[in-house]
Amino acid sequence: FQRLSSAEQADLARRLDPAVLAPVLEELLPRGEDARQPFRAIPPERLAAILDLCPRSVAAQILRVHPEEHAQLILQTMADPQALAVLLEHRSGTAGSIMTAEMVIFPGDMIVEEAVSHLRQAHVLFLENVDEVYVVDREGRLVGSVSYRDLLLAPPYARLATVMDPEVISISPTTPDEESARLIGRYDLPSLPV
């Protein structure tokens, strides 16, 4: 794709199946804004179909190269515009601009058996990037986390608050994404709550 001229890239982007183009978009992101330019020529409805197949953070970065009116038109055509709009509220290069909504949150007073049942019913155990449960207090504040492994090995009638790890590192949506990556690497974190 990179070896083609901009006009050829735009033509190909208009003709290929959205399922083929979605992974191409993900590969182009690290190459900068110039690599994303051919996607500006795709009609809004078609680009929305492609972005619906991409991770939200990828879709948000693609929308950022479009003029505001064009981005809004694309967003309105997408399957889940609200989830993507949350990412677009945050400045590019921050944790808020790349965070995911794929997380599981349970109250600390929930018992393990009930939490595992909810996870199984929702098929959450099979989400690719989710491998722990976040525990919140009655006011909705993050107070801990439990890995799926620890949750499955915990006594069924124990409260999540008693099996969670209270030492949770979290960041603000305005934290630079380089700082987020540094924390993930430094502490070998599977995820980092925002």
Side-chain angles (χ1 to χ4, degrees):
F1 198 81
Q2 288 291 54
R3 294 183 185 146
L4 301 174
S5 70
S6 293
E8 291 169 324
Q9 288 177 354
D11 183 52
L12 196 57
R14 282 191 295 272
R15 291 188 293 130
L16 284 177
D17 184 85
V20 172
L21 283 171
V24 171
L25 281 177
E26 214 167 335
E27 289 298 317
L28 292 176
L29 286 181
R31 300 192 180 149
E33 190 170 314
D34 288 344
R36 297 187 292 260
Q37 290 304 322
F39 295 94
R40 292 180 76 170
I42 300 174
E45 301 80 23
R46 179 158 170 71
L47 187 54
I50 296 165
L51 295 181
D52 278 332
L53 299 172
C54 292
R56 288 187 187 114
S57 60
V58 171
Q61 290 182 52
I62 296 298
L63 286 176
R64 284 191 177 98
V65 300
H66 290 272
E68 178 67 26
E69 315 81 52
H70 196 223
Q72 287 302 318
L73 185 59
I74 295 165
L75 202 55
Q76 291 170 4
T77 313
M78 294 183 70
D80 188 8
Q82 288 81 15
L84 193 53
V86 170
L87 295 180
L88 292 170
E89 290 174 5
H90 300 283
R91 205 181 80 224
S92 183
T94 64
S97 72
I98 58 172
M99 63 186 172
T100 180
E102 290 181 349
M103 65 183 136
V104 179
I105 301 171
F106 288 136
D109 59 357
M110 180 181 273
I111 63 169
V112 168
E113 182 178 60
E114 186 180 0
V116 170
S117 175
H118 281 299
L119 291 172
R120 285 187 178 131
Q121 288 172 2
H123 302 287
V124 173
L125 289 171
F126 306 107
L127 284 177
E128 188 174 319
N129 296 320
V130 180
D131 54 5
E132 64 186 333
V133 170
Y134 293 110
V135 182
V136 295
D137 64 14
R138 289 200 168 127
E139 286 78 41
R141 292 181 300 233
L142 180 65
V143 293
S145 67
V146 183
S147 71
Y148 284 170
R149 179 185 173 280
D150 290 345
L151 190 63
L152 293 172
L153 295 174
Y157 296 102
R159 302 260 174 227
L160 293 181
T162 64
V163 298
M164 71 179 190
D165 178 0
E167 300 294 320
V168 179
I169 297 171
S170 63
I171 55 174
S172 158
T174 59
T175 302
D177 50 11
E178 297 88 16
E179 174 67 11
S180 306
R182 188 185 67 73
L183 287 169
I184 287 170
R186 180 177 183 188
Y187 296 104
D188 193 28
L189 300 171
S191 60
L192 186 58
V194 178

